[in-house]
Amino acid sequence: MKRRTLLSTAALATTLAVTGLTAYADGHEPTKVGFVYVGPVGDGGWTYEHNQGRLAVEEAFGDKVETVFVENVPEGPDAARVMTQMALDGADLIFTTSFGYMDQTLEVASKFPDVKFEHATGFKRSDNVSTYSARFYEGRAVQGHIAGQITESNVIGYIASFPIPEVIRGINAAYLHAQAVNPDVEFKIVWAYTWFDPAKEAEAANVLIEQGADVVLQHTDSTAPQAAAQAAGNVYTFGQASDMSEYAPMPRVSSIIDDWAPYYVARTQAVMDGTWTSMDTWDGIGAGMVGIGEITDAVPAEVKASAEALRDALADGSVHAFTGPVNKQDGSAWLADGETADDGTLAGMNFYVEGIVGDIPQ
Amino acid sequence: MMVLEKRPQPSQRWVFAAPLLAVVLTMMVGGALFAALGKNPFEVIRTIFYDPLFSQNAWFYRPEILIKGGPLVLLAIGLSFGFRAGIWNIGAEGQYIIGAICGAAVGLALYPAETRLIFPLMVLAGALGGWAWAMIPAILRVRFGTNEILVSLMLVYVAEQLLASMALGALRNPEGMGFPGSRNLSQWPAAANKELIAGSGMHWGVVAAFIAVIFAYIVLSRHQFGFQVRLSGQAPRAARFAGVNPGRMILICMGISGALAGLAGLFEVAGPSGQISIDFNVGYGFTAIIVAFLGRLHPVGILLAGGLMALTYVGGGIAQGQLGLPAAAIQLLQGMLLFFLLAVDVLTNYRFRFGKGEVA
């Protein structure tokens, strides 16, 4: 208990002191928060970070909250069963942390109108279903900015997971910013069709390295590409979803970190206060949902400085990751000079920007 | 001194006792594992094996066992024909996927029509799709003598790629904002494989599983074909002399398992799952192999084994949620079940002899 109090931030502690105590005074049961994970909590990436968010909720609220989770839940009927089970066991708030849980989340939510649901990265909402996602593409822009400058072969490898807007957005953002600092840069993209499969990811990394890539970006969650890059030597990588700092300073030179903790704490608080409403949240670097992991000394100092400047500009909103002029891959105009992309287009992005070679798999 | 001695005939008693002993051993070793993880083993075992059936929330879990067990039994019944005849279809997972794709494609081609004919058409297409996918290894085996184990297994990965392609391309929901996955069939009444009685978990796939059990029981015990299947497995040469055409046997057995796998896939995609998505398949085709052997390749045994397997899935989920058990521990438990069964199976064909070993 002591450690928990120590660890929670001062700001949080103040709000808690008020609301938490009232909840106690009412004699409420602890608020029960459930988490449905698509991978194992030890994946070192996506699910790991969601679980860190869960632990932050426990840390922030102490014994006023009880959290439960089920890991490795396949997308489909199993997910519906696990959610229902949590609701039956008295959960007040359930976070479903994979895009593929969308229809099941809505289906179960309709049966439990008093339970609040939060679906990560989805686009369907209802009275008791909120959606939330992070603007990872802002982090991709910083990655591209660094990658374009440190590559010597001008070939940047990209391990993509599934051809969905989220992933395509990341490729486009990284490419645009790599190309801005290095017009000769070329992207080689491998589709792994998985979020987490160390063997496949390592294979993809090796294929890219053999094709001359000396920077490998990944949209998959394991550290296998980092290990492959380390074995190959002189190949740079970026941590994905979590910091993966065990591979710093080389090959991992920076990372995109998903930080769900502030959001999870805030939403749990809202349920405790009775102020929870259904909404759509899409936060980026500015709100702290996307973090840029420490840029190591393997990167030249001036590159590091300009990358940090870009990060800060994205955070305060003075720069948008997608700013015109940008054409689509087929040469048609997308963004005029100075125009920024609207969220609707970004949310459903299904095209490459001009300069990327290859087709999005159909 | 202890000696293993081959029984002159497989022990009838052990044929039935082995699975029970395997379950008991699994519970014991599993319990020790849970204790090592710092959980109360009795509480965990109770949560997994008892709570889904008799706890306060069992009204919800019982239907879930049917939903989970239905495809397992349907798949395992199909596999049992081939396994009995010594034909090893390891690719039921792929046939399951293709059945789902074909069935869903036929349905989606007619969207948004409203006629009662759509669902039966989809069922037909699902069975045909699974059958056709199984015919590839079957015909290759008959015609060129390829190994059906390898070919059928490899075709699973081909089917998975095809599934991804369908979810992203041809069958993608045009109103899905560019996200992968088809329309939700379970939300379209003409194509939905609905629960026949609300809240019972009974959908057409579960009904089909029960019908398959009865059908398989009659065929295997009463029909000449069942006799030929068993003879082919136990004494291939004798079967040949008895006029059984081995090629025909392969085609029929692979066909049955493929068609039933395709049906299982179709019922799943039109019902509990609802849509073709990249991760539609969750390993039923492989788990069904365990179910088939756990059930002694006997229809009634498979029914019980499918129920038990489904129970560990549902109960395992509860144990994770309520007791914080890691998912891997549940998978270990399921793996142990087959492991112990195979180990205990030795007793069916062999017996221990104690005392001074008489050297043969």
Side-chain angles (χ1 to χ4, degrees):
Chain A
M1 190 60 219
K2 227 175 212 166
R3 196 166 150 263
R4 284 175 178 161
T5 325
L6 275 175
L7 283 168
S8 51
T9 62
L12 211 54
T14 1
T15 42
L16 287 184
V18 187
T19 50
L21 281 179
T22 46
Y24 239 15
D26 292 349
H28 280 179
E29 297 267 305
T31 301
K32 194 163 180 177
V33 188
F35 294 81
V36 186
Y37 298 143
V38 73
V41 292
D43 69 353
W46 177 259
T47 294
Y48 173 81
E49 285 299 330
H50 284 288
N51 198 46
Q52 292 300 110
R54 177 183 73 86
L55 295 173
V57 169
E58 284 202 334
E59 223 156 62
F61 298 100
D63 51 13
K64 292 184 220 42
V65 73
E66 183 194 346
T67 69
V68 293
F69 72 90
V70 180
E71 58 182 346
N72 272 338
V73 179
E75 297 166 345
D78 294 288
R81 188 185 75 241
V82 168
M83 290 170 209
T84 310
Q85 174 197 316
M86 284 180 175
L88 286 174
D89 287 342
D92 302 291
L93 173 64
I94 297 175
F95 292 94
T96 61
T97 64
S98 182
F99 171 74
Y101 297 153
M102 183 159 63
D103 284 7
Q104 284 76 33
T105 304
L106 282 135
E107 175 200 323
V108 176
S110 69
K111 291 181 197 154
F112 295 93
D114 294 337
V115 180
K116 316 297 182 203
F117 289 81
E118 298 263 354
H119 177 228
T121 69
F123 58 85
K124 291 185 190 166
R125 283 169 290 280
S126 71
D127 282 350
N128 59 334
V129 180
S130 281
T131 52
Y132 63 101
S133 184
R135 296 180 186 269
F136 302 115
Y137 65 87
E138 295 186 350
R140 292 283 166 198
V142 178
Q143 276 189 356
H145 183 81
I146 299 172
Q149 294 177 79
I150 56 177
T151 177
E152 306 221 327
S153 63
N154 289 333
V155 178
I156 292 174
Y158 204 113
I159 305 172
S161 39
F162 294 105
I164 61 171
E166 159 82 45
V167 178
I168 295 165
R169 212 157 48 223
I171 296 172
N172 284 334
Y175 179 79
L176 285 176
H177 286 264
Q179 208 237 359
V181 294
N182 180 352
D184 298 326
V185 83
E186 183 195 340
F187 268 38
K188 285 200 188 300
I189 301 161
V190 169
W191 294 94
Y193 287 100
T194 177
W195 294 113
F196 179 78
D197 184 337
K200 262 193 200 169
E201 293 172 52
E203 195 184 317
N206 285 325
V207 166
L208 290 167
I209 292 166
E210 275 165 28
Q211 292 182 7
D214 61 353
V215 182
V216 175
L217 309 182
Q218 63 181 94
H219 204 134
T220 50
D221 298 338
S222 89
T223 54
Q226 317 275 331
Q230 196 166 45
N234 284 327
V235 175
Y236 301 96
T237 59
F238 291 81
Q240 163 67 11
S242 99
D243 198 26
M244 302 190 179
S245 57
E246 62 271 31
Y247 287 94
M250 268 292 278
R252 172 227 168 268
V253 293
S254 181
S255 61
I256 296 179
I257 305 169
D258 313 351
D259 189 358
W260 306 107
Y263 183 75
Y264 287 176
V265 170
R267 297 305 274 171
T268 306
Q269 182 72 61
V271 167
M272 287 176 166
D273 297 350
T275 57
W276 190 98
T277 50
S278 170
M279 57 192 246
D280 178 31
T281 303
W282 200 13
D283 282 342
I285 297 176
M289 200 178 260
V290 178
I292 303 296
E294 199 223 338
I295 302 170
T296 66
D297 293 336
V299 175
E302 67 274 16
V303 175
K304 179 175 174 173
S306 72
E308 283 171 349
L310 175 61
R311 176 196 66 195
D312 296 341
L314 287 163
D316 66 25
S318 56
V319 168
H320 191 285
F322 289 99
T323 305
V326 178
N327 288 342
K328 295 185 181 179
Q329 189 185 33
D330 58 14
S332 62
W334 174 37
L335 299 174
D337 197 5
E339 189 189 353
T340 56
D342 64 287
D343 279 359
T345 310
L346 288 180
M349 192 170 239
N350 58 359
F351 58 88
Y352 282 148
V353 294
E354 192 172 45
I356 297 180
V357 178
D359 294 316
I360 297 170
Q362 289 286 317
Chain B
M1 189 76 182
M2 200 170 76
V3 188
L4 263 185
E5 184 186 73
K6 193 161 171 56
R7 292 180 195 271
Q9 265 176 349
S11 156
Q12 275 306 307
R13 244 181 327 145
W14 274 107
V15 167
F16 294 103
L20 294 177
L21 183 61
V23 171
V24 172
L25 282 172
T26 304
M27 283 192 189
M28 280 164 56
V29 179
L33 173 80
F34 300 141
L37 285 168
K39 313 284 175 197
N40 176 351
F42 297 102
E43 197 185 357
V44 177
I45 298 281
R46 196 206 67 211
T47 307
I48 297 176
F49 293 98
Y50 180 86
D51 279 6
L53 293 171
F54 305 110
S55 71
Q56 181 195 346
N57 290 328
W59 57 268
F60 166 67
Y61 296 125
R62 283 186 211 132
E64 290 293 321
I65 294 171
L66 290 183
I67 290 172
K68 200 79 194 160
L72 284 176
V73 170
L74 203 51
L75 281 153
I77 289 284
L79 291 175
S80 68
F81 279 94
F83 289 173
R84 274 182 179 241
I87 298 158
W88 304 100
N89 177 10
I90 305 298
E93 183 84 354
Q95 294 138 24
Y96 171 86
I97 293 173
I98 300 297
I101 293 177
C102 291
V106 165
L108 290 168
L110 299 169
Y111 184 86
E114 285 293 342
T115 133
R116 283 168 166 270
L117 287 173
I118 292 178
F119 187 64
L121 261 179
M122 288 166 63
V123 172
L124 203 63
L128 270 174
W131 173 82
W133 203 247
M135 277 302 106
I136 300 173
I139 291 172
L140 287 177
R141 157 98 191 255
V142 173
R143 194 87 182 75
F144 302 107
T146 55
N147 182 328
E148 80 277 14
I149 301 177
L150 286 176
V151 177
S152 63
L153 179 63
M154 292 304 167
L155 281 172
V156 174
Y157 304 105
V158 178
E160 280 179 346
Q161 297 301 321
L162 201 62
L163 174 71
S165 155
M166 288 294 147
L168 294 164
L171 297 184
R172 182 159 70 179
N173 182 357
E175 287 151 23
M177 293 180 70
F179 286 92
S182 72
R183 284 181 201 279
N184 198 318
L185 291 165
S186 64
Q187 291 168 5
W188 171 30
N193 170 23
K194 280 220 186 54
E195 277 182 315
L196 300 172
I197 307 163
S200 67
M202 266 286 185
H203 61 71
W204 282 111
V206 180
V207 175
F210 280 115
I211 294 173
V213 168
I214 295 166
F215 173 79
Y217 182 84
I218 293 171
V219 167
L220 285 173
S221 60
R222 298 270 180 275
H223 195 273
Q224 194 192 353
F225 173 71
F227 171 73
Q228 291 178 347
V229 165
R230 279 180 287 142
L231 194 59
S232 304
Q234 285 164 1
R237 274 173 60 82
R240 205 173 286 219
F241 289 127
V244 179
N245 177 344
R248 209 172 125 251
M249 188 54 88
I250 292 168
L251 291 176
I252 294 175
C253 285
M254 291 291 280
I256 292 176
S257 59
L260 290 184
L263 276 180
L266 176 275
F267 288 128
E268 191 72 7
V269 79
S273 180
Q275 60 178 163
I276 290 284
S277 64
I278 294 170
D279 292 316
F280 163 72
N281 59 314
V282 293
Y284 280 128
F286 294 117
T287 311
I289 298 173
I290 303 184
V291 170
F293 278 100
L294 199 60
R296 317 264 72 180
L297 305 180
H298 186 282
V300 178
I302 287 172
L303 185 67
L304 295 173
L308 180 69
M309 211 54 166
L311 187 66
T312 63
Y313 274 110
V314 175
I318 307 174
Q320 277 196 68
Q322 289 182 351
L323 308 173
L325 209 68
I330 308 296
Q331 287 163 357
L332 260 174
L333 191 78
Q334 291 168 339
M336 258 189 250
L337 211 52
L338 183 65
F339 173 81
F340 279 120
L341 181 75
L342 295 176
V344 174
D345 240 5
V346 168
L347 295 175
T348 310
N349 293 313
Y350 294 84
R351 65 180 161 212
F352 285 116
R353 279 198 40 166
F354 299 95
K356 289 193 199 94
E358 295 138 51
V359 182

